Amino acid sequence: MLDINEFLGLERVDEWTFSSSQLWGAPATVNAFGGQLVALSLGAAFKTVPDNYIARSLHTQFMDCVDKTRTATFKVQDNALGSRIVSRTVQCFQDERLAMQTVCSFIAQKAQDFQAQFKHQTPMPEIEQPGAGNSAFMLDPQGYPNEFPVKIWVTELDSDLVTPAPAKQRIWLESPDKRTHSEQFQQCILALFTDVHFTRVIVRPFGIRMAPPPRHLRKIVSIDHHIWFHQSVDPRRPILVDTECKQLGAGRGVVQSEMYAHDRRLVATVVQEGRVEIDPHVRLPSPKL
């Protein structure tokens, strides 16, 4: 597998500018993987804030595709530096063309303890972790090819997606890299995780597979990506991603995910919007909801 440090590595160009030429994408497309770009944007922002700050949220808009065979440049803008909250905007360019923009919000690590006695969360679903005796999850033999540095456990293989089913999905993700990383880098890995297998949930009710996609699926790409980081998490341990597409219409699908650590803590909430274009002349099964 690819080295996660290289996969999410950045070269400093100047104090506020960084670049990456180690972009990854699926074999069938020239486009770079959106999750890597989001994680790199967060990583670039981290390099401009004090070491005792962690991410609170990020909000990304994709304006254009990023070519995986070319270098991407990440330019950071200083929005605000307060006593507890720091904000940065990161713009990703290729050949001076703006491809995406991310606003990152950071808080001091000690701020996590504020009002610690008042908290609650949505309970994690009662399902077994991978490898447990009654677990329904299997290591995805297809996964993401080209040495993608994430282990993926699924209940449905890509070939199973041709049978219409509700727009829901549960998968487990884990970093195979067992080295110790900072909490900031762990958040970058979590940001990478958030984009795995997300688009296939949008068209799941129509029985459309992703690898390879059918000819009548003309386009399915992420256009908005939002993450709220709730608690620290170790991506070397399995993380459950519980996902549902809330709505598909006018060529846009909205997907929400809750991410749970192996110890059942809710560690992040993710909302994404995907642009979908299906050949209007093709006859698909009635959606199963």
Side-chain angles (χ1 to χ4, degrees):
M1 286 187 172
L2 296 170
D3 185 289
I4 194 69
N5 288 340
E6 295 181 7
F7 195 80
L8 298 182
L10 289 161
E11 180 179 344
R12 185 182 290 272
V13 178
D14 59 39
E15 183 180 4
W16 296 91
T17 306
F18 307 87
S19 67
S20 173
S21 57
Q22 302 294 321
L23 302 181
W24 180 92
T29 177
V30 72
N31 297 338
F33 178 58
Q36 183 187 20
L37 297 172
V38 170
L40 288 169
S41 296
L42 178 60
F46 265 130
K47 291 182 180 297
T48 69
V49 302
D51 292 340
N52 63 324
Y53 278 74
I54 57 174
R56 184 183 68 171
S57 66
L58 68 78
H59 308 277
T60 295
Q61 290 183 316
F62 292 93
M63 275 79 84
D64 206 343
C65 296
V66 174
D67 188 330
K68 67 183 180 184
T69 66
R70 303 165 70 182
T71 298
T73 301
F74 300 85
K75 298 183 179 181
V76 184
Q77 299 175 3
D78 182 1
N79 297 335
L81 176 60
S83 59
R84 289 178 52 198
I85 298 176
V86 174
S87 176
R88 296 286 188 266
T89 296
V90 184
Q91 294 181 318
C92 175
F93 292 87
Q94 276 194 327
D95 297 328
E96 301 303 319
R97 174 180 52 85
L98 179 61
M100 61 182 284
Q101 180 169 280
T102 302
V103 177
C104 304
S105 177
F106 303 90
I107 58 173
Q109 284 177 308
K110 63 181 181 181
Q112 291 187 107
D113 299 327
F114 180 69
Q115 297 257 302
Q117 69 272 37
F118 303 111
K119 59 183 179 181
H120 62 81
Q121 69 166 63
T122 301
M124 176 178 155
E126 294 293 336
I127 57 176
E128 295 283 352
Q129 293 189 24
N134 298 320
S135 177
F137 290 85
M138 55 188 151
L139 193 61
D140 191 343
Q142 186 173 25
Y144 281 22
N146 289 1
E147 304 298 312
F148 188 70
V150 179
K151 286 185 177 180
I152 308 169
W153 283 273
V154 297
T155 56
E156 295 180 311
L157 301 178
D158 192 79
S159 56
D160 298 324
L161 303 183
V162 296
T163 302
K168 299 179 180 181
Q169 172 182 263
R170 288 171 177 167
I171 62 176
W172 290 90
L173 303 174
E174 178 186 342
S175 172
D177 188 314
K178 302 307 179 184
R179 289 173 291 185
T180 300
H181 295 289
S182 67
E183 184 172 356
Q184 290 84 352
F185 195 76
Q186 288 176 339
Q187 288 187 312
C188 292
I189 297 175
L190 188 68
L192 168 68
F193 282 5
T194 60
D195 210 35
V196 172
H197 281 345
F198 122 80
T199 52
R200 73 182 196 175
V201 183
I202 300 174
V203 293
R204 187 70 187 85
F206 296 101
I208 297 177
R209 65 182 302 178
M210 293 287 103
R215 295 180 64 182
H216 56 262
L217 182 60
R218 294 176 174 173
K219 179 175 292 186
I220 184 165
V221 294
S222 178
I223 54 177
D224 285 283
H225 195 124
H226 310 271
I227 309 172
W228 289 266
F229 300 92
H230 306 313
Q231 301 184 65
S232 61
V233 63
D234 185 351
R236 298 174 299 180
R237 305 290 297 273
I239 296 172
L240 175 67
V241 187
D242 188 12
T243 302
E244 180 177 4
C245 180
K246 301 293 187 178
Q247 193 266 351
L248 172 62
R252 303 189 310 276
V254 176
V255 175
Q256 180 170 321
S257 301
E258 285 78 42
M259 304 183 76
Y260 295 89
H262 71 282
D263 56 5
R264 312 190 68 82
R265 291 177 301 113
L266 178 63
V267 296
T269 299
V270 184
V271 177
Q272 299 178 77
E273 184 179 30
R275 180 183 172 191
V276 181
E277 185 177 337
I278 301 172
D279 185 344
H281 302 293
V282 71
R283 298 186 63 180
L284 294 175
S286 299
K288 183 174 181 179
L289 304 175

